[in-house]
Short mmCIF file of all heavy atoms in Angstrom, two decimals:
data_model
loop_
_atom_site.label_atom_id
_atom_site.label_comp_id
_atom_site.label_asym_id
_atom_site.label_seq_id
_atom_site.Cartn_x
_atom_site.Cartn_y
_atom_site.Cartn_z
N LYS A 7 0.81 -1.17 0.02
CA LYS A 7 -0.01 0.01 0.00
C LYS A 7 0.83 1.25 0.00
O LYS A 7 0.45 2.23 -0.53
CB LYS A 7 -0.92 0.02 1.18
CG LYS A 7 -2.01 -1.07 1.08
CD LYS A 7 -2.99 -0.96 2.21
CE LYS A 7 -4.09 -1.96 1.95
NZ LYS A 7 -5.13 -1.79 2.94
N VAL A 8 1.99 1.21 0.60
CA VAL A 8 2.90 2.35 0.63
C VAL A 8 3.33 2.71 -0.81
O VAL A 8 3.36 3.89 -1.17
CB VAL A 8 4.10 2.11 1.49
CG1 VAL A 8 5.10 3.29 1.42
CG2 VAL A 8 3.67 1.92 2.96
N VAL A 9 3.66 1.75 -1.61
CA VAL A 9 4.07 1.99 -3.01
C VAL A 9 2.93 2.65 -3.74
O VAL A 9 3.19 3.60 -4.49
CB VAL A 9 4.56 0.71 -3.69
CG1 VAL A 9 4.80 0.92 -5.12
CG2 VAL A 9 5.79 0.13 -3.00
N GLN A 10 1.74 2.16 -3.53
CA GLN A 10 0.59 2.78 -4.26
C GLN A 10 0.43 4.25 -3.80
O GLN A 10 0.18 5.14 -4.65
CB GLN A 10 -0.73 2.01 -3.89
CG GLN A 10 -0.75 0.64 -4.52
CD GLN A 10 -1.94 -0.17 -4.01
OE1 GLN A 10 -2.27 -0.08 -2.81
NE2 GLN A 10 -2.52 -0.93 -4.86
N LYS A 11 0.59 4.56 -2.53
CA LYS A 11 0.43 5.91 -2.06
C LYS A 11 1.50 6.84 -2.62
O LYS A 11 1.26 8.00 -3.04
CB LYS A 11 0.49 5.96 -0.52
CG LYS A 11 -0.75 5.36 0.11
CD LYS A 11 -0.62 5.40 1.66
CE LYS A 11 -1.87 4.85 2.30
NZ LYS A 11 -1.78 4.86 3.78
N VAL A 12 2.75 6.35 -2.68
CA VAL A 12 3.88 7.11 -3.26
C VAL A 12 3.58 7.40 -4.69
O VAL A 12 3.77 8.52 -5.17
CB VAL A 12 5.27 6.40 -3.02
CG1 VAL A 12 6.26 7.11 -3.81
CG2 VAL A 12 5.55 6.35 -1.57
N ARG A 13 3.19 6.39 -5.42
CA ARG A 13 2.94 6.55 -6.88
C ARG A 13 1.75 7.53 -7.12
O ARG A 13 1.76 8.39 -8.03
CB ARG A 13 2.62 5.29 -7.53
CG ARG A 13 3.87 4.46 -7.74
CD ARG A 13 3.66 3.26 -8.57
NE ARG A 13 4.86 2.49 -8.75
CZ ARG A 13 4.89 1.15 -8.89
NH1 ARG A 13 3.80 0.49 -8.93
NH2 ARG A 13 6.10 0.60 -9.03
N ALA A 14 0.69 7.48 -6.27
CA ALA A 14 -0.47 8.37 -6.37
C ALA A 14 -0.08 9.81 -6.11
O ALA A 14 -0.57 10.72 -6.72
CB ALA A 14 -1.58 7.92 -5.45
N ALA A 15 0.88 9.97 -5.16
CA ALA A 15 1.27 11.35 -4.77
C ALA A 15 2.27 11.93 -5.77
O ALA A 15 2.61 13.08 -5.74
CB ALA A 15 1.90 11.31 -3.38
N ASN A 16 2.80 11.09 -6.68
CA ASN A 16 3.77 11.54 -7.69
C ASN A 16 3.33 11.11 -9.08
O ASN A 16 4.01 10.23 -9.69
CB ASN A 16 5.19 10.95 -7.33
CG ASN A 16 5.65 11.46 -5.99
OD1 ASN A 16 6.14 12.55 -5.94
ND2 ASN A 16 5.48 10.66 -4.97
N PRO A 17 2.33 11.71 -9.62
CA PRO A 17 1.76 11.27 -10.89
C PRO A 17 2.74 11.41 -12.07
O PRO A 17 2.63 10.65 -13.07
CB PRO A 17 0.56 12.21 -11.08
CG PRO A 17 0.77 13.33 -10.22
CD PRO A 17 1.58 12.86 -9.06
N GLN A 18 3.77 12.29 -11.96
CA GLN A 18 4.72 12.39 -13.09
C GLN A 18 5.74 11.25 -13.01
O GLN A 18 6.58 11.13 -13.91
CB GLN A 18 5.42 13.75 -13.04
CG GLN A 18 4.57 14.88 -13.50
CD GLN A 18 4.23 15.83 -12.36
OE1 GLN A 18 4.74 15.68 -11.25
NE2 GLN A 18 3.37 16.78 -12.57
N ASN A 19 5.66 10.42 -11.96
CA ASN A 19 6.60 9.28 -11.80
C ASN A 19 8.04 9.65 -11.88
O ASN A 19 8.81 9.05 -12.55
CB ASN A 19 6.25 8.23 -12.86
CG ASN A 19 6.75 6.85 -12.44
OD1 ASN A 19 7.00 6.59 -11.31
ND2 ASN A 19 6.85 5.98 -13.45
N ARG A 20 8.41 10.70 -11.14
CA ARG A 20 9.80 11.15 -11.15
C ARG A 20 10.65 10.46 -10.10
O ARG A 20 11.84 10.75 -9.95
CB ARG A 20 9.84 12.67 -10.96
CG ARG A 20 9.23 13.46 -12.08
CD ARG A 20 9.39 14.91 -11.87
NE ARG A 20 8.73 15.62 -12.97
CZ ARG A 20 8.52 16.92 -12.96
NH1 ARG A 20 8.93 17.63 -11.93
NH2 ARG A 20 7.97 17.49 -13.94
N LEU A 21 10.02 9.55 -9.28
CA LEU A 21 10.75 8.91 -8.24
C LEU A 21 11.04 7.46 -8.58
O LEU A 21 10.31 6.81 -9.29
CB LEU A 21 9.92 8.88 -6.95
CG LEU A 21 9.54 10.25 -6.36
CD1 LEU A 21 8.66 10.07 -5.18
CD2 LEU A 21 10.77 11.02 -5.99
N GLN A 22 12.19 6.97 -8.12
CA GLN A 22 12.52 5.54 -8.20
C GLN A 22 12.21 4.91 -6.90
O GLN A 22 12.81 5.34 -5.84
CB GLN A 22 13.96 5.35 -8.59
CG GLN A 22 14.39 3.88 -8.53
CD GLN A 22 13.71 3.04 -9.65
OE1 GLN A 22 13.85 3.32 -10.74
NE2 GLN A 22 13.07 2.04 -9.19
N ILE A 23 11.30 4.03 -6.81
CA ILE A 23 10.95 3.33 -5.57
C ILE A 23 11.75 2.09 -5.42
O ILE A 23 11.84 1.26 -6.35
CB ILE A 23 9.45 2.95 -5.56
CG1 ILE A 23 8.56 4.24 -5.73
CG2 ILE A 23 9.06 2.22 -4.24
CD1 ILE A 23 7.12 3.99 -5.89
N VAL A 24 12.45 1.95 -4.30
CA VAL A 24 13.37 0.86 -4.05
C VAL A 24 12.99 0.15 -2.72
O VAL A 24 12.79 0.81 -1.69
CB VAL A 24 14.82 1.34 -3.93
CG1 VAL A 24 15.81 0.20 -3.74
CG2 VAL A 24 15.21 2.18 -5.14
N ASN A 25 12.82 -1.13 -2.73
CA ASN A 25 12.61 -1.89 -1.56
C ASN A 25 14.01 -2.41 -1.10
O ASN A 25 14.72 -3.15 -1.81
CB ASN A 25 11.73 -3.13 -1.80
CG ASN A 25 11.41 -3.86 -0.56
OD1 ASN A 25 11.35 -3.29 0.54
ND2 ASN A 25 11.17 -5.14 -0.72
N ILE A 26 14.43 -1.95 0.11
CA ILE A 26 15.73 -2.37 0.62
C ILE A 26 15.48 -3.21 1.84
O ILE A 26 14.82 -2.79 2.77
CB ILE A 26 16.57 -1.12 0.98
CG1 ILE A 26 16.87 -0.30 -0.28
CG2 ILE A 26 17.92 -1.58 1.63
CD1 ILE A 26 17.57 0.99 -0.05
N TYR A 27 16.00 -4.43 1.84
CA TYR A 27 15.73 -5.37 2.86
C TYR A 27 17.00 -5.64 3.71
O TYR A 27 18.06 -5.69 3.22
CB TYR A 27 15.29 -6.72 2.25
CG TYR A 27 15.10 -7.84 3.24
CD1 TYR A 27 13.91 -7.93 3.99
CD2 TYR A 27 16.05 -8.74 3.43
CE1 TYR A 27 13.74 -8.91 4.90
CE2 TYR A 27 15.91 -9.79 4.34
CZ TYR A 27 14.77 -9.82 5.09
OH TYR A 27 14.60 -10.83 5.99
N GLY A 28 16.78 -5.77 5.01
CA GLY A 28 17.87 -6.08 5.88
C GLY A 28 17.34 -6.53 7.27
O GLY A 28 16.15 -6.34 7.56
N PRO A 29 18.15 -7.12 8.04
CA PRO A 29 17.75 -7.58 9.39
C PRO A 29 17.30 -6.47 10.26
O PRO A 29 17.88 -5.34 10.21
CB PRO A 29 18.91 -8.37 9.98
CG PRO A 29 20.08 -7.82 9.19
CD PRO A 29 19.55 -7.37 7.87
N THR A 30 16.35 -6.70 11.11
CA THR A 30 15.90 -5.71 12.07
C THR A 30 16.91 -5.34 13.09
O THR A 30 16.95 -4.20 13.57
CB THR A 30 14.60 -6.22 12.78
OG1 THR A 30 13.65 -6.63 11.79
CG2 THR A 30 14.01 -5.20 13.71
N GLU A 31 17.74 -6.24 13.46
CA GLU A 31 18.74 -6.06 14.51
C GLU A 31 19.84 -5.02 14.19
O GLU A 31 20.57 -4.61 15.05
CB GLU A 31 19.40 -7.37 14.91
CG GLU A 31 18.44 -8.40 15.45
CD GLU A 31 17.71 -9.11 14.36
OE1 GLU A 31 18.08 -9.07 13.17
OE2 GLU A 31 16.69 -9.81 14.69
N ALA A 32 20.03 -4.74 12.92
CA ALA A 32 21.14 -3.83 12.49
C ALA A 32 20.69 -2.93 11.31
O ALA A 32 19.69 -3.22 10.61
CB ALA A 32 22.29 -4.65 12.07
N THR A 33 21.38 -1.88 11.15
CA THR A 33 21.09 -0.99 10.04
C THR A 33 21.97 -1.32 8.84
O THR A 33 23.01 -0.66 8.62
CB THR A 33 21.28 0.51 10.44
OG1 THR A 33 20.50 0.73 11.61
CG2 THR A 33 20.78 1.46 9.37
N ILE A 34 21.72 -2.44 8.22
CA ILE A 34 22.48 -2.89 7.08
C ILE A 34 21.53 -3.33 5.97
O ILE A 34 20.38 -3.70 6.23
CB ILE A 34 23.45 -4.05 7.44
CG1 ILE A 34 22.69 -5.22 7.99
CG2 ILE A 34 24.55 -3.63 8.42
CD1 ILE A 34 23.52 -6.48 8.18
N GLN A 35 22.00 -3.27 4.83
CA GLN A 35 21.23 -3.69 3.59
C GLN A 35 21.81 -5.00 3.12
O GLN A 35 22.98 -5.12 2.92
CB GLN A 35 21.35 -2.59 2.55
CG GLN A 35 20.81 -2.98 1.22
CD GLN A 35 21.20 -1.92 0.15
OE1 GLN A 35 21.43 -0.82 0.50
NE2 GLN A 35 21.14 -2.31 -1.09
N CYS A 36 20.90 -6.00 2.88
CA CYS A 36 21.39 -7.25 2.38
C CYS A 36 20.66 -7.61 1.04
O CYS A 36 21.15 -8.52 0.35
CB CYS A 36 21.27 -8.35 3.38
SG CYS A 36 19.64 -8.70 3.88
N ALA A 37 19.66 -6.89 0.63
CA ALA A 37 18.95 -7.15 -0.61
C ALA A 37 18.28 -5.88 -1.10
O ALA A 37 17.88 -5.08 -0.31
CB ALA A 37 17.94 -8.24 -0.48
N THR A 38 18.20 -5.76 -2.40
CA THR A 38 17.60 -4.58 -3.05
C THR A 38 16.72 -4.97 -4.21
O THR A 38 17.07 -5.82 -4.97
CB THR A 38 18.71 -3.60 -3.56
OG1 THR A 38 19.59 -3.29 -2.47
CG2 THR A 38 18.15 -2.31 -4.09
N HIS A 39 15.53 -4.26 -4.28
CA HIS A 39 14.64 -4.49 -5.42
C HIS A 39 14.20 -3.12 -5.89
O HIS A 39 13.62 -2.36 -5.12
CB HIS A 39 13.43 -5.32 -5.01
CG HIS A 39 12.47 -5.44 -6.12
ND1 HIS A 39 12.71 -6.26 -7.19
CD2 HIS A 39 11.21 -4.81 -6.28
CE1 HIS A 39 11.63 -6.13 -8.05
NE2 HIS A 39 10.76 -5.31 -7.47
N PHE A 40 14.45 -2.83 -7.19
CA PHE A 40 13.94 -1.59 -7.79
C PHE A 40 12.56 -1.84 -8.37
O PHE A 40 12.37 -2.68 -9.31
CB PHE A 40 14.92 -1.11 -8.87
CG PHE A 40 16.26 -0.69 -8.38
CD1 PHE A 40 17.27 -1.57 -8.17
CD2 PHE A 40 16.44 0.63 -8.03
CE1 PHE A 40 18.51 -1.15 -7.65
CE2 PHE A 40 17.65 1.07 -7.49
CZ PHE A 40 18.68 0.14 -7.30
N CYS A 41 11.54 -1.22 -7.82
CA CYS A 41 10.19 -1.38 -8.20
C CYS A 41 9.94 -0.80 -9.62
O CYS A 41 10.42 0.30 -9.92
CB CYS A 41 9.22 -0.73 -7.21
SG CYS A 41 9.41 -1.37 -5.53
N THR A 42 9.15 -1.51 -10.40
CA THR A 42 8.82 -1.07 -11.74
C THR A 42 7.36 -0.60 -11.77
O THR A 42 6.57 -0.94 -10.84
CB THR A 42 9.01 -2.13 -12.82
OG1 THR A 42 8.07 -3.18 -12.52
CG2 THR A 42 10.46 -2.70 -12.75
N ASP A 43 6.94 0.11 -12.78
CA ASP A 43 5.55 0.59 -12.88
C ASP A 43 4.62 -0.59 -13.26
O ASP A 43 3.41 -0.40 -13.07
CB ASP A 43 5.47 1.68 -13.95
CG ASP A 43 6.15 2.98 -13.54
OD1 ASP A 43 6.29 3.14 -12.28
OD2 ASP A 43 6.54 3.70 -14.36
N THR A 44 5.12 -1.66 -13.78
CA THR A 44 4.26 -2.71 -14.26
C THR A 44 4.12 -3.86 -13.33
O THR A 44 3.24 -4.71 -13.53
CB THR A 44 4.81 -3.22 -15.60
OG1 THR A 44 6.13 -3.69 -15.41
CG2 THR A 44 4.82 -2.18 -16.68
N GLU A 45 4.91 -3.93 -12.22
CA GLU A 45 4.72 -5.07 -11.41
C GLU A 45 3.54 -4.98 -10.45
O GLU A 45 3.02 -3.93 -10.16
CB GLU A 45 6.02 -5.36 -10.59
CG GLU A 45 6.30 -4.31 -9.51
CD GLU A 45 7.68 -4.47 -8.92
OE1 GLU A 45 8.25 -5.53 -8.94
OE2 GLU A 45 8.19 -3.48 -8.39
N SER A 46 3.14 -6.16 -9.92
CA SER A 46 2.04 -6.20 -8.98
C SER A 46 2.42 -5.41 -7.73
O SER A 46 3.48 -5.51 -7.19
CB SER A 46 1.75 -7.66 -8.58
OG SER A 46 0.99 -7.75 -7.45
N LEU A 47 1.44 -4.66 -7.25
CA LEU A 47 1.69 -3.88 -6.04
C LEU A 47 1.36 -4.63 -4.77
O LEU A 47 1.60 -4.17 -3.67
CB LEU A 47 0.91 -2.56 -6.10
CG LEU A 47 1.28 -1.60 -7.23
CD1 LEU A 47 0.30 -0.40 -7.20
CD2 LEU A 47 2.71 -1.18 -7.11
N SER A 48 0.75 -5.87 -4.89
CA SER A 48 0.37 -6.56 -3.75
C SER A 48 1.55 -7.31 -3.08
O SER A 48 1.49 -7.63 -1.93
CB SER A 48 -0.71 -7.62 -4.12
OG SER A 48 -0.24 -8.48 -5.04
N ALA A 49 2.57 -7.63 -3.84
CA ALA A 49 3.72 -8.35 -3.29
C ALA A 49 4.98 -7.85 -3.94
O ALA A 49 5.31 -8.25 -5.05
CB ALA A 49 3.56 -9.84 -3.51
N ILE A 50 5.73 -7.03 -3.20
CA ILE A 50 7.03 -6.55 -3.72
C ILE A 50 8.11 -7.49 -3.24
O ILE A 50 8.21 -7.73 -2.05
CB ILE A 50 7.23 -5.07 -3.23
CG1 ILE A 50 6.11 -4.16 -3.61
CG2 ILE A 50 8.61 -4.58 -3.71
CD1 ILE A 50 5.93 -3.95 -5.09
N PRO A 51 8.95 -7.95 -4.13
CA PRO A 51 10.01 -8.87 -3.72
C PRO A 51 11.03 -8.19 -2.77
O PRO A 51 11.22 -6.98 -2.85
CB PRO A 51 10.70 -9.25 -5.00
CG PRO A 51 9.81 -8.88 -6.09
CD PRO A 51 8.91 -7.78 -5.57
N ILE A 52 11.77 -9.04 -2.02
CA ILE A 52 12.84 -8.44 -1.13
C ILE A 52 14.01 -8.10 -1.96
O ILE A 52 14.79 -7.27 -1.59
CB ILE A 52 13.24 -9.38 0.02
CG1 ILE A 52 13.79 -10.68 -0.44
CG2 ILE A 52 12.08 -9.53 0.96
CD1 ILE A 52 14.45 -11.46 0.69
N GLY A 53 14.12 -8.65 -3.17
CA GLY A 53 15.19 -8.32 -4.08
C GLY A 53 16.32 -9.33 -4.22
O GLY A 53 16.28 -10.41 -3.71
N THR A 54 17.38 -8.83 -4.78
CA THR A 54 18.58 -9.63 -5.01
C THR A 54 19.61 -9.34 -3.97
O THR A 54 19.70 -8.18 -3.46
CB THR A 54 19.16 -9.44 -6.41
OG1 THR A 54 19.40 -8.02 -6.53
CG2 THR A 54 18.24 -9.87 -7.51
N PRO A 55 20.43 -10.36 -3.55
CA PRO A 55 21.40 -10.12 -2.51
C PRO A 55 22.51 -9.14 -2.96
O PRO A 55 22.77 -9.09 -4.15
CB PRO A 55 21.95 -11.51 -2.23
CG PRO A 55 21.59 -12.34 -3.38
CD PRO A 55 20.39 -11.68 -4.04
N VAL A 56 23.12 -8.43 -2.02
CA VAL A 56 24.23 -7.64 -2.36
C VAL A 56 25.38 -8.52 -2.69
O VAL A 56 25.39 -9.72 -2.48
CB VAL A 56 24.63 -6.70 -1.12
CG1 VAL A 56 23.44 -5.71 -0.86
CG2 VAL A 56 25.01 -7.45 0.09
N ALA A 57 26.43 -7.92 -3.27
CA ALA A 57 27.57 -8.69 -3.82
C ALA A 57 28.19 -9.63 -2.78
O ALA A 57 28.28 -9.25 -1.63
CB ALA A 57 28.62 -7.67 -4.30
N HIS A 58 28.55 -10.76 -3.24
CA HIS A 58 29.26 -11.79 -2.48
C HIS A 58 28.51 -12.30 -1.26
O HIS A 58 29.01 -12.71 -0.18
CB HIS A 58 30.63 -11.22 -1.95
CG HIS A 58 31.46 -10.63 -3.00
ND1 HIS A 58 32.00 -11.39 -4.05
CD2 HIS A 58 31.76 -9.32 -3.25
CE1 HIS A 58 32.65 -10.59 -4.89
NE2 HIS A 58 32.54 -9.34 -4.43
N THR A 59 27.11 -12.30 -1.40
CA THR A 59 26.30 -12.84 -0.35
C THR A 59 25.19 -13.77 -0.98
O THR A 59 25.06 -13.77 -2.16
CB THR A 59 25.57 -11.74 0.45
OG1 THR A 59 24.60 -11.02 -0.35
CG2 THR A 59 26.55 -10.81 1.11
N GLN A 60 24.56 -14.52 -0.14
CA GLN A 60 23.37 -15.35 -0.58
C GLN A 60 22.24 -15.06 0.39
O GLN A 60 22.47 -14.81 1.60
CB GLN A 60 23.78 -16.80 -0.50
CG GLN A 60 24.81 -17.22 -1.50
CD GLN A 60 25.12 -18.74 -1.37
OE1 GLN A 60 24.81 -19.38 -0.40
NE2 GLN A 60 25.83 -19.25 -2.34
N LEU A 61 21.07 -15.18 -0.12
CA LEU A 61 19.85 -15.04 0.70
C LEU A 61 19.14 -16.42 0.81
O LEU A 61 19.07 -17.16 -0.20
CB LEU A 61 18.84 -14.06 0.13
CG LEU A 61 19.32 -12.60 0.11
CD1 LEU A 61 18.21 -11.72 -0.54
CD2 LEU A 61 19.53 -12.10 1.52
N TYR A 62 18.62 -16.76 1.91
CA TYR A 62 17.80 -17.98 2.10
C TYR A 62 16.48 -17.54 2.68
O TYR A 62 16.42 -16.97 3.72
CB TYR A 62 18.53 -18.94 3.03
CG TYR A 62 19.80 -19.39 2.45
CD1 TYR A 62 21.00 -18.81 2.84
CD2 TYR A 62 19.83 -20.51 1.61
CE1 TYR A 62 22.23 -19.31 2.35
CE2 TYR A 62 21.05 -21.01 1.07
CZ TYR A 62 22.21 -20.37 1.50
OH TYR A 62 23.43 -20.82 1.00
N VAL A 63 15.38 -17.85 1.94
CA VAL A 63 14.08 -17.63 2.47
C VAL A 63 13.62 -18.99 3.04
O VAL A 63 13.71 -20.04 2.38
CB VAL A 63 13.07 -17.18 1.38
CG1 VAL A 63 11.70 -17.06 1.88
CG2 VAL A 63 13.56 -15.83 0.79
N LEU A 64 13.12 -18.98 4.29
CA LEU A 64 12.85 -20.21 4.99
C LEU A 64 11.35 -20.37 5.24
O LEU A 64 10.61 -19.38 5.35
CB LEU A 64 13.55 -20.19 6.33
CG LEU A 64 15.06 -19.91 6.31
CD1 LEU A 64 15.61 -19.80 7.70
CD2 LEU A 64 15.81 -20.95 5.46
N ASP A 65 10.92 -21.62 5.39
CA ASP A 65 9.54 -21.88 5.81
C ASP A 65 9.42 -21.75 7.33
O ASP A 65 10.39 -21.45 8.03
CB ASP A 65 9.04 -23.24 5.28
CG ASP A 65 9.76 -24.44 5.90
OD1 ASP A 65 10.49 -24.25 6.93
OD2 ASP A 65 9.61 -25.56 5.35
N HIS A 66 8.25 -22.01 7.91
CA HIS A 66 8.03 -21.88 9.35
C HIS A 66 8.86 -22.85 10.16
O HIS A 66 9.00 -22.61 11.35
CB HIS A 66 6.52 -22.03 9.62
CG HIS A 66 6.02 -23.39 9.38
ND1 HIS A 66 5.66 -23.85 8.16
CD2 HIS A 66 5.73 -24.44 10.23
CE1 HIS A 66 5.22 -25.08 8.22
NE2 HIS A 66 5.30 -25.46 9.41
N CYS A 67 9.39 -23.91 9.56
CA CYS A 67 10.26 -24.85 10.27
C CYS A 67 11.77 -24.55 10.10
O CYS A 67 12.58 -25.30 10.62
CB CYS A 67 9.97 -26.27 9.78
SG CYS A 67 8.28 -26.82 10.20
N GLY A 68 12.06 -23.50 9.30
CA GLY A 68 13.47 -23.18 9.07
C GLY A 68 14.11 -23.82 7.90
O GLY A 68 15.33 -23.82 7.79
N HIS A 69 13.26 -24.45 7.05
CA HIS A 69 13.81 -25.11 5.82
C HIS A 69 13.83 -24.15 4.64
O HIS A 69 12.87 -23.38 4.51
CB HIS A 69 13.01 -26.35 5.54
CG HIS A 69 13.01 -27.33 6.62
ND1 HIS A 69 11.85 -27.64 7.35
CD2 HIS A 69 13.98 -28.13 7.11
CE1 HIS A 69 12.16 -28.59 8.25
NE2 HIS A 69 13.40 -28.87 8.13
N PRO A 70 14.87 -24.20 3.83
CA PRO A 70 14.93 -23.30 2.65
C PRO A 70 13.79 -23.57 1.69
O PRO A 70 13.34 -24.68 1.48
CB PRO A 70 16.29 -23.67 2.04
CG PRO A 70 17.07 -24.33 3.09
CD PRO A 70 16.04 -25.00 3.97
N LEU A 71 13.30 -22.44 1.08
CA LEU A 71 12.25 -22.51 0.07
C LEU A 71 12.74 -22.18 -1.27
O LEU A 71 13.77 -21.47 -1.40
CB LEU A 71 11.13 -21.50 0.44
CG LEU A 71 10.25 -21.82 1.68
CD1 LEU A 71 9.46 -20.63 2.07
CD2 LEU A 71 9.42 -23.05 1.46
N PRO A 72 12.16 -22.66 -2.34
CA PRO A 72 12.55 -22.32 -3.72
C PRO A 72 12.32 -20.84 -4.03
O PRO A 72 11.50 -20.19 -3.39
CB PRO A 72 11.71 -23.23 -4.62
CG PRO A 72 10.86 -24.06 -3.71
CD PRO A 72 11.04 -23.59 -2.30
N THR A 73 13.04 -20.35 -5.01
CA THR A 73 12.86 -18.95 -5.46
C THR A 73 11.39 -18.63 -5.80
O THR A 73 10.77 -19.50 -6.47
CB THR A 73 13.76 -18.69 -6.66
OG1 THR A 73 15.08 -18.95 -6.30
CG2 THR A 73 13.61 -17.27 -7.14
N GLY A 74 10.90 -17.51 -5.35
CA GLY A 74 9.54 -17.10 -5.60
C GLY A 74 8.51 -17.56 -4.66
O GLY A 74 7.36 -17.10 -4.77
N ILE A 75 8.87 -18.36 -3.71
CA ILE A 75 7.87 -18.83 -2.72
C ILE A 75 7.97 -17.97 -1.44
O ILE A 75 9.04 -17.81 -0.90
CB ILE A 75 8.13 -20.29 -2.31
CG1 ILE A 75 8.09 -21.19 -3.56
CG2 ILE A 75 7.13 -20.77 -1.30
CD1 ILE A 75 6.74 -21.23 -4.33
N PRO A 76 6.82 -17.38 -0.98
CA PRO A 76 6.91 -16.54 0.21
C PRO A 76 7.29 -17.38 1.43
O PRO A 76 6.95 -18.54 1.54
CB PRO A 76 5.44 -16.03 0.39
CG PRO A 76 4.84 -16.27 -0.93
CD PRO A 76 5.53 -17.42 -1.56
N GLY A 77 7.98 -16.78 2.39
CA GLY A 77 8.41 -17.46 3.58
C GLY A 77 8.66 -16.52 4.69
O GLY A 77 8.21 -15.37 4.70
N GLU A 78 9.47 -16.96 5.67
CA GLU A 78 9.79 -16.20 6.86
C GLU A 78 11.05 -15.37 6.70
O GLU A 78 11.97 -15.81 6.10
CB GLU A 78 9.93 -17.17 8.04
CG GLU A 78 8.72 -18.04 8.34
CD GLU A 78 7.51 -17.23 8.75
OE1 GLU A 78 7.64 -16.30 9.53
OE2 GLU A 78 6.39 -17.52 8.27
#
């Protein structure tokens, strides 16, 4: 909903909306996703990992999930 509000407030689309993901415990960035005008606004991906890192999305039991599957 935040992305929708930002886009509605900026009809000329002069802003680049970026989803930056990182752990709550620290102020660090571990993944970045540049939002496009054509993607679904209901689910914005956490993005791709920063250089020389890997991301693991886990299920509720802590097991790795395939790419594109929502998790914890």
Side-chain angles (χ1 to χ4, degrees):
K7 291 185 176 188
V8 172
V9 173
Q10 290 171 323
K11 289 179 181 180
V12 170
R13 287 190 178 148
N16 297 280
Q18 287 112 6
N19 200 20
R20 294 183 182 171
L21 299 176
Q22 173 66 58
I23 301 171
V24 182
N25 184 31
I26 298 175
Y27 175 81
T30 304
E31 298 81 14
T33 308
I34 58 172
Q35 169 188 340
C36 61
T38 304
H39 175 74
F40 291 89
C41 300
T42 67
D43 292 336
T44 58
E45 70 189 335
S46 166
L47 297 176
S48 62
I50 303 296
I52 63 169
T54 55
V56 296
H58 309 293
T59 65
Q60 295 179 345
L61 293 177
Y62 296 94
V63 177
L64 309 175
D65 66 13
H66 65 282
C67 294
H69 300 112
L71 291 168
T73 300
I75 304 298
E78 302 295 320

